[in-house]
Amino acid sequence: MSDERTRRIWLLALVPAMRRGRWVSAALILFVGTLIYGVGIKLWLQEVPERGYYDAWPVAIFFVCSVAYMVPVFHYISARTVDALEALRPFVADPMRPQLARAVEYRSLRWTLRTALTATLIWLIQSRMLTESWLGMWQSLTEGLLSFAMSLGPLLVWLTMFSAMSALLGNALFFRRLAAHLAVQIFEPGSYMPVGRMAVTSTLVTLGAFGLLSIMWLDGPVNWWTTLPAMALFAPLLVCFLLIPVLPIHRELVAQRAQAMNEAQAALGQALASPDDLAARATALALRREVARLPTWPFDVPAIIRFVSYAVIVPMTWAGAALIEILVNAILS
């Protein structure tokens, strides 16, 4: 991966290099998005006042919140992934070390164009399904500011989400390749635990996206073409982000623990052959007990707790959306 052929991922450039830059980025995206859709809805109401607020506001909120969430979260995950690579550097074979610095934050121009074209294709297919004809899709782009913004909103969301998830999938595959050059030592957690922490952190993108989908349900029944394509993409990616990087490490840890258990069992057999040597027997028993406790997955307790807390995001967000809808209906009825 040469410097001439790669550029920093465009999503990372949207976060300013300053203290609390992620928060600044999220706030700016929320402000600009709210301004665009707020003005659009206001102008639309002036033209068709009898229609009320239409059903545009929950979808508009979803568009704005999705981009405002995805950009800083992807930046956060990338930073944590870089930290994981730095922690693993002492255990990585020399041929792989030059790749560590640019493997996470840089991609080729071909990758950028490919992800943009794929996201645009998904948007076109989804828009065609929603409008039921190419003519209807064209009309939705030319009926006014709000209609234009509502039609292009999904494109921006798909560009952001697909670029982030494609980059994270590339990171997962890189860690999978890195495992073959990683000196995993089961008695040295630092040689494998960073991989598990990185995998758990990567799930923030898909779990957060799942939670954000509930925003579009706030105005009652929803066209499933607005959510099914995203759900079909997010579910397998969640599994990929979590398992692809850790499976090679898991297999290596299983093999090393089996070998360590055989050695501990052999030591215990020798101790049992000398019934008078109680100290050797106690030591062998303690060794076997400790070996049995060795992990075979690169997840420590903090990583497991973090993943559980991330997973809680989805049902809490869906429950919150349902509660908001109940309250709004109660106020308006």
Side-chain angles (χ1 to χ4, degrees):
M1 188 181 296
S2 64
D3 292 355
E4 294 78 15
R5 296 183 179 181
T6 61
R7 296 293 184 273
R8 197 162 184 254
I9 298 173
W10 66 273
L11 290 173
L12 299 176
L14 298 179
V15 177
M18 57 184 295
R19 181 177 173 83
R20 303 191 183 279
R22 299 185 192 109
W23 291 101
V24 172
S25 175
L28 287 175
I29 294 171
L30 285 172
F31 173 76
V32 173
T34 302
L35 182 64
I36 292 173
Y37 284 103
V39 170
I41 292 176
K42 184 175 181 180
L43 292 176
W44 189 86
L45 287 174
Q46 290 176 356
E47 296 174 2
V48 195
E50 68 275 8
R51 291 289 297 277
Y53 273 97
Y54 182 50
D55 60 350
W57 69 271
V59 180
I61 292 174
F62 168 76
F63 294 158
V64 176
C65 290
S66 294
V67 179
Y69 172 84
M70 197 62 57
V71 170
V73 166
F74 176 73
H75 187 277
Y76 170 78
I77 294 172
S78 298
R80 298 288 76 77
T81 305
V82 170
D83 292 343
L85 287 176
E86 287 302 314
L88 291 171
R89 186 177 289 274
F91 306 97
V92 176
D94 290 341
M96 288 292 290
R97 288 185 182 179
Q99 302 182 37
L100 299 184
R102 302 179 67 84
V104 174
E105 298 184 342
Y106 290 81
R107 292 293 186 275
S108 66
L109 178 60
R110 180 182 299 178
W111 175 90
T112 304
L113 295 175
R114 185 172 63 246
T115 54
L117 289 174
T118 305
T120 303
L121 179 62
I122 295 173
W123 168 70
L124 286 172
I125 294 173
Q126 184 185 37
S127 299
R128 171 63 177 78
M129 295 299 180
L130 288 170
T131 57
E132 300 181 352
S133 69
W134 293 112
L135 178 59
M137 180 180 172
W138 172 253
Q139 290 175 344
S140 68
L141 288 169
T142 58
E143 287 181 347
L145 176 60
L146 177 60
S147 181
F148 181 79
M150 294 298 291
S151 298
L152 285 188
L155 175 59
L156 184 57
V157 173
W158 276 117
L159 285 171
T160 305
M161 287 190 173
F162 193 80
S163 296
M165 293 184 182
S166 178
L168 293 177
L169 182 59
N171 292 346
L173 294 172
F174 176 78
F175 271 83
R176 185 179 182 86
R177 295 193 301 271
L178 184 66
H181 304 270
L182 192 62
V184 175
Q185 304 168 21
I186 195 168
F187 292 102
E188 177 50 66
S191 66
Y192 54 88
M193 284 301 179
V195 179
R197 290 195 289 269
M198 182 280 305
V200 167
T201 304
S202 296
T203 62
L204 262 177
V205 163
T206 47
L207 290 172
F210 266 123
L212 287 168
L213 288 175
S214 63
I215 297 175
M216 289 191 290
W217 306 339
L218 290 175
D219 202 41
V222 64
N223 188 327
W224 282 102
W225 283 113
T226 62
T227 54
L228 280 178
M231 297 176 86
L233 176 66
F234 298 158
L237 282 177
L238 173 63
V239 178
C240 290
F241 293 159
L242 191 61
L243 294 184
I244 285 179
V246 302
L247 283 177
I249 306 296
H250 167 65
R251 288 193 289 267
E252 178 63 24
L253 291 175
V254 168
Q256 290 193 19
R257 191 174 77 169
Q259 180 180 355
M261 181 59 73
N262 290 336
E263 294 174 356
Q265 195 63 39
L268 179 59
Q270 293 178 357
L272 292 176
S274 304
D276 296 334
D277 194 348
L278 298 180
R281 182 181 300 183
T283 300
L285 286 170
L287 176 61
R288 189 178 67 171
R289 184 166 55 250
E290 291 303 316
V291 169
R293 294 175 179 173
L294 290 172
T296 56
W297 290 93
F299 300 118
D300 52 14
V301 173
I304 295 173
I305 294 175
R306 190 177 299 115
F307 178 71
V308 172
S309 65
Y310 293 166
V312 170
I313 292 174
V314 177
M316 285 186 64
T317 306
W318 291 356
L323 179 60
I324 291 173
E325 185 172 0
I326 292 173
L327 291 174
V328 170
N329 290 336
I331 293 172
L332 297 178
S333 60

